[in-house]
Amino acid sequence: MAENIVWHQHKVDKAVRAQAKDQKPQVIWLTGLSGSGKSTIANILEQKLEAMGKHTYLLDGDNIRHGLCGDLGFSDKDRVENIRRISEVCKLMVDAGLIVITAFISPFRDDRNFCRKLVDDGEFAEVFVDTPLEVCEQRDPKGLYKKARAGDIKDFTGIGSDYEAPKAPEVHLKHEQETAEQAADRLIEALQQQGRLT
Ligand SMILES: Nc1ncnc2c1ncn2[C@@H]1O[C@H](COP(=O)(O)OS(=O)(=O)O)[C@@H](OP(=O)(O)O)[C@H]1O
Ligand SMILES: Nc1ncnc2c1ncn2[C@@H]1O[C@H](COP(=O)(O)OP(=O)(O)O)[C@@H](O)[C@H]1O
């Protein structure tokens, strides 16, 4: 708890850093089932933003779980803590003036809203990568669904653990017959229309 600790207001602040980078710092939060396409789309998105001269940072589930959240598993309690830590990192990165892209399952609504509330108004865009379970399971890029169905992973999202779909995401990438490249283009278009990439 932050008892007896005083917040320091620095002279070089978020506004100064944002101006230097000529961009709106923000979090672009991708959520969806394992195999829905979060990492693939997030990677393409980051390359496109980088080509547009934006300063970005991509936080990805598997990578963060090797370090910052390496002590956490997949119980509900650990998933809540995982997203809490990531949200705090997002806040710091937004304060640093960056456009942060995240690719976590983040299955619980309250946890995604925790990050939304942590940053300022307009600095959080929830992107629902809405790929049905059957499609994710058919893709099974890491063979995890197969393991989950065999009973080797008991709390796998969509099988033994809940996924709470976003109710009003800023961007809804619904699974259609589109490639990841097309999905990333549509995402950029939506972000531009919402005035987030000016
Ligand atoms: N039980 C269980 N449930 C779901 N996912 C599992 C599980 N065990 C391991 N994995 C792998 O971990 C990746 C998800 O990590 P996240 O940090 O995004 O999960 S969460 O947001 O805390 O729910 C997830 O990565 P993605 O496939 O990229 O989503 C899996 O590769
Ligand atoms: N339209 C699409 N969008 C994203 N990924 C797609 C699409 N079509 C097929 N894929 C494939 O589905 C898999 C998604 O895996 P990944 O991006 O790791 O998902 P996640 O990060 O959500 O677990 C990749 O192998 C990717 O090539």
Side-chain angles (χ1 to χ4, degrees), residues 29 32-36 38-39 60-62 64-65 69 73-75 78-80 82-83 86 103-108 141-142 144-145 153-158 161:
W29 187 285
L33 295 170
S34 175
S36 58
K38 302 181 298 296
S39 301
D60 198 311
D62 287 319
I64 293 293
R65 279 177 173 277
C69 298
F74 289 91
S75 64
D78 279 7
R79 289 181 201 253
V80 171
N82 185 39
I83 301 305
I86 289 154
F104 300 93
I105 296 178
S106 46
F108 305 134
K142 300 171 195 157
L144 297 176
Y145 282 98
I153 310 176
K154 67 172 171 42
D155 48 8
F156 198 72
T157 306
S161 185

Side-chain angles (χ1 to χ4, degrees), residues 37-184:
K38 302 181 298 296
S39 301
T40 307
I41 295 168
N43 267 291
I44 299 172
L45 172 68
E46 187 174 41
Q47 288 172 61
K48 287 179 186 281
L49 291 180
E50 206 270 332
M52 290 163 71
K54 308 291 181 196
H55 291 191
T56 59
Y57 198 91
L58 170 53
L59 293 166
D60 198 311
D62 287 319
N63 296 354
I64 293 293
R65 279 177 173 277
H66 276 110
L68 178 68
C69 298
D71 57 325
L72 302 175
F74 289 91
S75 64
D76 286 4
K77 187 167 169 265
D78 279 7
R79 289 181 201 253
V80 171
E81 175 60 9
N82 185 39
I83 301 305
R84 188 194 70 78
R85 287 184 202 172
I86 289 154
S87 299
E88 293 287 355
V89 171
C90 285
K91 186 181 167 67
L92 290 174
M93 289 190 164
V94 166
D95 196 53
L98 294 170
I99 296 177
V100 191
I101 305 164
T102 69
F104 300 93
I105 296 178
S106 46
F108 305 134
R109 232 169 259 139
D110 282 354
D111 301 335
R112 298 190 298 263
N113 283 335
F114 174 78
C115 187
R116 184 188 288 279
K117 286 183 202 138
L118 212 52
V119 293
D120 289 340
D121 279 353
E123 288 181 344
F124 184 91
E126 188 176 42
V127 180
F128 183 19
V129 185
D130 187 3
T131 309
L133 180 65
E134 310 82 73
V135 177
C136 296
E137 192 162 357
Q138 211 173 8
R139 289 178 181 169
D140 205 6
K142 300 171 195 157
L144 297 176
Y145 282 98
K146 197 163 172 231
K147 280 191 187 166
R149 290 292 182 198
D152 294 339
I153 310 176
K154 67 172 171 42
D155 48 8
F156 198 72
T157 306
I159 296 176
S161 185
D162 283 347
Y163 178 77
E164 299 172 356
K167 284 188 170 153
E170 273 74 12
V171 187
H172 193 160
L173 297 177
K174 231 173 155 42
H175 173 77
E176 287 147 16
Q177 291 307 316
E178 69 179 3
T179 63
E181 181 83 24
Q182 287 165 336

Side-chain angles (χ1 to χ4, degrees), residues 16-30:
V16 174
R17 288 185 283 265
Q19 201 174 20
K21 292 185 187 304
D22 195 22
Q23 65 185 25
K24 281 190 179 176
Q26 62 192 289
V27 184
I28 302 171
W29 187 285
L30 277 67

